[in-house]
Amino acid sequence: GRFNSKVYVAYSVFYALGTIFAIQIPFVGFLAVRSAEHLLSHGVFIIVQIYALTQYLRCLLPKQSMELLGRIVLVTAIAGFFMLFLFLLFSGISKWSGRSLSLLDPTYASKFIPIIASVSEHQATTWTSYFFDLHFLMVLMPVGFFFCCSDQKESTNYGKLFLGLYGVLAIYFSCVMIRLMLVLAPATCILAAIGTSEVLEIFAKSFRDYWNSGDESSNLPDVGIIITGIIGGLCYFYLIHSTWTAAEAYSSPSVIMSARRPNGGKEIIDDYREAYYWLRLNTPEDAKIMSWWDYGYQITGFSNRTVLVDNNCLLYTSPSPRDLSTSRMPSSA
């Protein structure tokens, strides 16, 4: 009963515009349509269209005709989905990327695609990284997850169930790759906020009941004050930690680095940017730059030159990272 015309229009417009915009990104292109990672979204879109068409025809056709049409559509949809699945499975048109397979099987990259496993941001996340990025939200996130799954004040809250499921999946993905801490951060913030709000609501209610009853023998207000004070202090230290982390770890561009001198002064290391600017001034506009793939995006952006291999291993010409590595090795006698 939650499907209506507003949901249909919003989802259809979001799907269409999102796919079109994704195709405009050069290294994505038609992978937004062909890749195996996007097949589920295409399937949901098709199901939504079929359901909307069924609801429209139900208003026009008699009940018997509608039941017959429903059976035909159901059988056709199942058969079409099965044939499409077999076609994609055996044709090789749509394949899972190495990064996606590494999420499903953390050992996949180390076995079959070492270049993916060698990247530092594809390594497993350590506990210190969780504390450094999330601070005390690590403690409040499970509390928020508990309240999302146990909140039965009225009917089932699908929004909170979605947040709980999102949090569980985000935790798993962030454990596999440290770069996916970006996926975990929104879920952690929302779940921790729910946990904080629910805990404070419980003790606020206890405060109200205490003052209304006038029972001075109860120790509950003292406990409530202590818990509220602890949460307030943690929130304060979290703000301090977040400000320091953002300033020291996440506010410096990767091409301009800083270091501390022995006397405590700050030294700015600007060699990379100067080198990219030199390439821009001293090479032809149609030059092809051979560099290791880590510097591909930066050379393209700063120097406005084409590279043989970039960070996405998108090949503008023939070499692959393996060919590039081989070219730098001395030839055997």
Side-chain angles (χ1 to χ4, degrees):
R2 297 180 180 273
F3 184 88
N4 52 46
S5 59
K6 293 182 179 179
V7 173
Y8 170 73
V9 172
Y11 178 78
S12 299
V13 172
F14 170 77
Y15 172 86
L17 293 179
T19 304
I20 292 173
F21 290 152
I23 292 175
Q24 307 308 311
I25 302 175
F27 65 84
V28 175
F30 283 95
L31 288 177
V33 180
R34 294 189 293 108
S35 65
E37 290 85 351
H38 295 84
L39 289 181
L40 186 59
S41 64
H42 304 329
V44 173
F45 178 75
I46 293 173
I47 291 174
V48 168
Q49 304 306 314
I50 294 175
Y51 183 79
L53 178 61
T54 303
Q55 294 294 101
Y56 175 73
L57 293 177
R58 183 172 294 176
C59 301
L60 302 178
L61 299 177
K63 185 176 180 180
Q64 294 180 349
S65 301
M66 191 61 206
E67 291 178 354
L68 177 61
L69 180 61
R71 295 191 187 98
I72 295 175
V73 170
L74 180 62
V75 173
T76 304
I78 294 175
F81 176 80
F82 183 72
M83 294 176 62
L84 178 62
F85 175 78
L86 293 178
F87 173 75
L88 295 175
L89 179 64
F90 292 105
S91 65
I93 295 178
S94 182
K95 295 181 179 179
W96 287 80
S97 66
R99 292 186 181 91
S100 299
L101 292 173
S102 299
L103 292 177
L104 301 177
D105 179 11
T107 63
Y108 177 85
S110 59
K111 294 178 181 178
F112 303 104
I113 314 178
I115 194 171
I116 292 180
S118 66
V119 179
S120 60
E121 60 192 25
H122 293 165
Q123 306 303 313
T125 309
T126 61
W127 280 109
T128 54
S129 298
Y130 279 106
F131 178 78
F132 184 78
D133 290 331
L134 304 179
H135 202 247
F136 86 102
L137 299 188
M138 295 171 54
V139 178
L140 288 177
M141 181 183 179
V143 178
F145 177 78
F146 169 78
F147 283 109
C148 284
C149 296
S150 62
D151 189 6
Q152 300 293 338
K153 295 179 181 178
E154 299 176 0
S155 59
T156 303
N157 192 321
Y158 293 101
K160 289 188 175 181
L161 290 180
F162 169 78
L163 287 175
L165 182 61
Y166 174 29
V168 171
L169 293 177
I171 288 175
Y172 168 75
F173 290 143
S174 66
C175 290
V176 178
M177 288 188 184
I178 189 172
R179 69 186 302 176
L180 296 181
M181 287 289 291
L182 293 173
V183 178
L184 176 63
T188 303
C189 292
I190 297 173
L191 290 173
I194 292 175
T196 304
S197 175
E198 294 288 347
V199 171
L200 292 178
E201 183 180 356
I202 292 174
F203 286 101
K205 181 180 179 181
S206 302
F207 275 124
R208 290 194 299 267
D209 294 342
Y210 170 78
W211 291 114
N212 292 333
S213 64
D215 185 7
E216 299 181 356
S217 62
S218 175
N219 295 324
L220 190 57
D222 298 333
V223 176
I225 292 174
I226 294 174
I227 298 298
T228 304
I230 291 175
I231 293 179
L234 289 175
C235 291
Y236 171 76
F237 285 113
Y238 175 71
L239 291 175
I240 300 298
H241 174 81
S242 299
T243 304
W244 177 85
T245 303
E248 296 295 330
Y250 297 128
S251 296
S252 300
S254 59
V255 295
I256 302 177
M257 295 170 286
S258 62
R260 293 290 180 183
R261 298 172 182 171
N263 60 1
K266 196 171 186 179
E267 178 72 21
I268 302 298
I269 304 172
D270 198 21
D271 297 346
Y272 281 113
R273 191 195 60 80
E274 292 180 353
Y276 297 145
Y277 189 63
W278 185 93
L279 279 175
R280 189 185 187 99
L281 295 179
N282 295 275
T283 56
E285 292 185 1
D286 59 348
K288 306 295 189 297
I289 308 299
M290 185 178 77
S291 68
W292 191 234
W293 60 299
D294 290 336
Y295 310 106
Y297 284 160
Q298 295 176 356
I299 293 176
T300 302
F302 284 89
S303 304
N304 195 25
R305 296 295 182 266
T306 300
V307 294
L308 298 183
V309 183
D310 64 10
N311 304 57
N312 197 52
C313 296
L314 181 64
L315 308 182
Y316 293 99
T317 53
S318 58
S320 67
R322 181 182 61 184
D323 299 329
L324 194 62
S325 302
T326 305
S327 68
R328 297 182 175 215
M329 297 174 61
S331 57
S332 58

